[in-house]
Amino acid sequence: AQSVTQLGSHVSVSEGALVLLRCNYSSSVPPYLFWYVQYPNQGLQLLLKYTTGATLVKGINGFEAEFNKSETSFHLTKPSAHMSDAAEYFCAVSERGSARQLTFGSGTQLTVLP
Amino acid sequence: SQTIHQWPATLVQPVGSPLSLECTVEGTSNPNLYWYRQAAGRGLQLLFYSVGIGQISSEVPQNLSASRPQDRQFILSSKKLLLSDSGFYLCAWRRIANEKLFFGSGTQLSVL
């Protein structure tokens, strides 16, 4: 069984400040890891994913995440927040080769303050 | 290119009424199809997934059902809606043996 924990349901940062959204997972097998973003009243958009290889993954809109196997974490970061980054962010995990697909975290609402 | 269509975008239904949400995928064949629900303040919950026509796997027992009458069509239904069925419903697809999931734009369902 797999699960995802996102620490902090609401995170506020000032424009230009560092964004750090935390995600920890549990999985019985090496997982695939994802971050999705959901803008108000829209579907989900993939930000980035980790499958194999380099543990630092770069995504769209300046976001990146690092897979840390020992800490079972996949935290999302962005060096400088922009007002347009305000959205809800979901971490997700899936088992390799499984048709069942993703297990999502409960989400983190990011607010960017002017 | 592949696209996913989901409708309606918003829906307001009385308790006890039936439900039908439709999702279609274009530009691919034999996709895996998924229905997720996002309840207010909660994460996304997988409701159903399908690996082929007529093949439905249910993740959560409830008064919802899903059907796949055609290869690229996935329907979420209910005979009698409950208040607790309110939420944001998302259809998604992926190619077999590819981990990337593509989402539709979602349906906001309010049961009153």
Side-chain angles (χ1 to χ4, degrees):
Chain A
Q2 52 195 10
S3 65
V4 180
T5 302
Q6 288 183 242
L7 298 177
S9 58
H10 292 85
V11 171
S12 294
V13 300
S14 298
E15 191 173 18
L18 171 71
V19 176
L20 171 61
L21 304 182
R22 299 178 185 275
C23 172
N24 289 86
Y25 69 92
S26 67
S27 178
S28 56
V29 298
Y32 292 140
L33 295 161
F34 306 80
W35 275 99
Y36 282 84
V37 60
Q38 184 179 27
Y39 297 102
N41 300 316
Q42 295 187 30
L44 277 78
Q45 178 182 7
L46 180 66
L47 270 179
L48 49 80
K49 63 180 179 180
Y50 169 79
T51 53
T52 58
T55 56
L56 181 63
V57 180
K58 294 186 183 298
I60 61 172
N61 301 337
F63 284 93
E64 59 185 35
E66 185 160 19
F67 170 58
N68 188 317
K69 185 177 179 180
S70 62
E71 295 185 0
T72 60
S73 67
F74 192 56
H75 302 328
L76 181 71
T77 61
K78 182 174 180 177
S80 177
H82 190 274
M83 297 297 288
S84 61
D85 294 328
E88 189 156 22
Y89 292 79
F90 292 92
C91 182
V93 61
S94 77
E95 291 183 3
R96 294 163 186 258
S98 168
R100 186 188 175 282
Q101 259 293 328
L102 301 173
T103 298
F104 284 87
S106 56
T108 299
Q109 182 68 48
L110 175 66
T111 300
V112 182
L113 305 172
Chain B
S1 63
Q2 300 82 25
T3 56
I4 178 169
H5 302 281
Q6 186 180 341
W7 68 93
T10 60
L11 189 61
V12 180
Q13 291 284 98
V15 170
S17 64
L19 173 72
S20 180
L21 302 181
E22 189 161 346
C23 172
T24 60
V25 180
E26 296 179 356
T28 188
S29 59
N30 198 25
N32 285 1
L33 296 170
Y34 304 83
W35 278 110
Y36 284 88
R37 177 172 63 196
Q38 181 183 12
R42 299 174 61 182
L44 285 151
Q45 180 184 36
L46 179 62
L47 301 176
F48 302 95
Y49 68 94
S50 170
V51 299
I53 295 174
Q55 301 179 61
I56 307 296
S57 296
S58 174
E59 287 289 307
V60 183
Q62 54 201 329
N63 69 320
L64 298 172
S65 63
S67 61
R68 185 170 178 174
Q70 300 180 43
D71 180 43
R72 290 169 290 176
Q73 183 184 29
F74 204 26
I75 298 172
L76 183 69
S77 304
S78 174
K79 293 182 179 179
K80 289 185 178 181
L81 284 168
L82 306 173
L83 288 174
S84 57
D85 292 324
S86 294
F88 191 57
Y89 289 81
L90 286 158
C91 180
W93 77 275
R94 71 168 179 132
R95 291 187 190 89
I96 293 174
N98 185 322
E99 72 287 352
K100 186 172 181 178
L101 200 62
F102 299 90
F103 285 88
S105 55
T107 297
Q108 182 65 53
L109 172 65
S110 299
V111 182
L112 305 177

